[in-house]
Amino acid sequence: ENHQNIWSQRYIELEISEESVGSTKVPNNTHSSPSLGMSVGTKRHSYKKYQNEDSSILNKSRIQLLKKNDFGSEGRRIQSWERAYEELVSFVKEFGHARVPRKFLQNPSLGMWVANQR
């Protein structure tokens, strides 16, 4: 049960990271979240084993979650960037400027994305 909760928590962190930087590539030694980096490394290794039809610790529901986010693929990077850009355009229309706070409570991923673009 606890292992499932940790896996789910790291998966959510991965989604947030992917939204902010446009990629599921997280270094194993990331300073902002070392546990996320290690978790992504393990997921990447297990997912590659699954793709190579080797024995993998991933169950079907986890594989589907990773596939949903094109894990191991950079195909979503451009789409994610364009989606974030559109969110920025909407922000500018609403607020009249593009100075999105890093910790923008209404859309935390937009604040992180803008900070990363600077």
Side-chain angles (χ1 to χ4, degrees), residues 1-2 4 14-15 17 28 31 39 44 48 55 57 65-66 69-70 82 85-87 108 111 114:
E1 179 69 28
N2 190 34
Q4 174 65 27
L14 176 63
E15 283 189 315
S17 176
N28 285 347
H31 297 291
S39 173
R44 188 169 286 119
K48 283 181 184 176
S55 176
I57 61 171
L65 284 172
L66 295 174
N69 283 347
D70 292 333
E82 289 173 348
Y85 179 78
E86 289 301 321
E87 290 175 5
V114 170

Side-chain angles (χ1 to χ4, degrees), residues 7-8 10 12 20 22-23 25-26 32 45 48 54 72 74-75 89 93 110-111 113 116:
W7 197 97
S8 297
R10 296 295 175 262
I12 291 168
S20 68
S23 174
K25 288 190 173 186
V26 176
S32 60
H45 177 75
K48 283 181 184 176
D54 290 340
E74 290 303 302
V89 169
K93 286 179 183 173
L110 178 61
W113 181 82
N116 285 331

Side-chain angles (χ1 to χ4, degrees), residues 62-109:
R62 290 179 179 179
I63 289 168
Q64 291 303 316
L65 284 172
L66 295 174
K67 281 183 175 181
K68 181 185 96 173
N69 283 347
D70 292 333
F71 192 76
S73 167
E74 290 303 302
R76 280 183 48 154
R77 184 177 206 156
I78 292 171
Q79 291 174 341
S80 181
W81 190 94
E82 289 173 348
R83 182 176 51 245
Y85 179 78
E86 289 301 321
E87 290 175 5
L88 177 60
V89 169
S90 295
F91 179 93
V92 170
K93 286 179 183 173
E94 182 176 346
F95 296 99
H97 61 81
R99 296 180 306 276
V100 182
R102 180 181 280 270
K103 295 183 179 181
F104 183 51
L105 296 179
Q106 294 164 327
N107 188 343
S109 63

Side-chain angles (χ1 to χ4, degrees), residues 20-60:
S20 68
V21 299
S23 174
T24 57
K25 288 190 173 186
V26 176
N28 285 347
N29 60 351
T30 184
H31 297 291
S32 60
S33 180
S35 56
L36 176 61
M38 290 175 56
S39 173
V40 169
T42 301
K43 285 174 177 58
R44 188 169 286 119
H45 177 75
S46 297
Y47 192 74
K48 283 181 184 176
K49 287 180 82 171
Y50 159 76
Q51 287 179 315
N52 293 331
E53 298 180 3
D54 290 340
S55 176
S56 174
I57 61 171
L58 295 174
N59 61 34
K60 288 182 181 185

